[in-house]
Amino acid sequence: LLQAQPVPLFQGLPDDQQLLDTVEKLLEAAQQYGLNGVLDGDADGTPPEPEIPPLHKEGLEALEEGDLEGAHAAYTKALKESPADSEARTALHQVELLQRVRATNPEGSPQVAESILLKAKDAEMTDVQAHLDAADVEFFYGRPDAAFARLIDVVRNTTDDDRNRARTRLLALFDIAGPHSELVGQARKALTNALF
């Protein structure tokens, strides 16, 4: 295809010179359109890792050291510099989830996690904070389906600021789970139904 139009290269079987001439013409046409990559001749080579933006690198290093505040600052700054940076936004949501879980359960105790879930089980839907904490625990421990269902119930049964807090948290968890997740697609439909 050249300029989105199919172009026949050969009729019948070409000889070696025709092949070389055609390849040269294709390379010339490609250069005109900015396609100028060159093979390095290393058939066993691996493509270089894409370079990580400096603030993303800073955030990753902070996470590896357990410095959630440093990671939060790096990703916040990356988003401030580039508001459309979806990778920084997702990373920031992940860091914020880790911060919230650490705040409610500093030792990472299974018993504390269980008590958070039990408290929410007996809580009214209007006790938004209890359900936000429980959704974080559920999501953190690999139960995004339960977290989504809980927050959708809160959205369905609350109004105004309470509803907005639950909806905002749900959207952040959707972002972490990934927009192409089937579970997120189903939960988005349920959220739409709850809102309207």
Side-chain angles (χ1 to χ4, degrees):
L1 296 175
L2 286 176
Q3 294 182 331
Q5 299 298 317
V7 178
L9 296 179
F10 307 109
Q11 287 188 350
L13 187 63
D15 62 32
D16 289 349
Q17 190 57 49
Q18 283 179 302
L19 282 173
L20 288 173
D21 292 345
T22 301
V23 168
E24 284 183 24
K25 287 179 184 173
L26 283 172
L27 291 174
E28 287 172 16
Q31 280 188 323
Q32 290 175 359
Y33 292 99
L35 304 172
N36 51 16
V38 178
L39 292 175
D40 63 6
D42 182 4
D44 297 325
T46 56
E49 289 290 323
E51 192 169 320
I52 299 175
L55 287 169
H56 287 243
K57 188 174 183 180
E58 185 181 322
L60 283 171
E61 288 171 355
L63 275 175
E64 287 172 4
E65 295 170 8
D67 178 10
L68 296 180
E69 289 72 25
H72 191 279
Y75 291 122
T76 299
K77 188 173 180 184
L79 266 178
K80 189 174 182 181
E81 289 180 7
S82 179
D85 185 344
S86 60
E87 289 181 17
R89 181 174 297 106
T90 300
L92 183 60
H93 287 153
Q94 291 169 332
V95 170
E96 289 172 345
L97 172 65
L98 293 173
Q99 288 177 313
R100 292 190 305 267
V101 169
R102 182 184 280 179
T104 57
N105 187 0
E107 303 299 320
S109 160
Q111 290 81 14
V112 172
E114 186 177 352
S115 72
I116 291 169
L117 295 176
L118 288 173
K119 177 182 176 190
K121 180 181 177 189
D122 296 329
E124 297 290 330
M125 284 295 151
T126 53
D127 186 352
V128 176
Q129 191 59 54
H131 291 289
L132 292 175
D133 292 343
D136 283 343
V137 168
E138 288 165 334
F139 192 92
F140 182 78
Y141 284 100
R143 290 290 319 278
D145 54 335
F148 296 165
R150 177 183 301 281
L151 292 176
I152 289 166
D153 280 345
V154 173
V155 167
R156 188 177 290 116
N157 290 287
T158 56
T159 59
D160 302 328
D161 289 343
D162 287 341
R163 173 182 265 199
N164 194 47
R165 284 175 64 204
R167 185 188 62 80
T168 301
R169 179 69 55 85
L170 187 56
L171 294 177
L173 295 181
F174 285 170
D175 186 36
I176 297 170
H180 304 296
S181 158
E182 185 178 329
L183 188 61
V184 169
Q186 294 167 353
R188 278 190 186 281
K189 288 178 189 171
L191 174 61
T192 302
N193 292 335
L195 288 169
F196 301 106

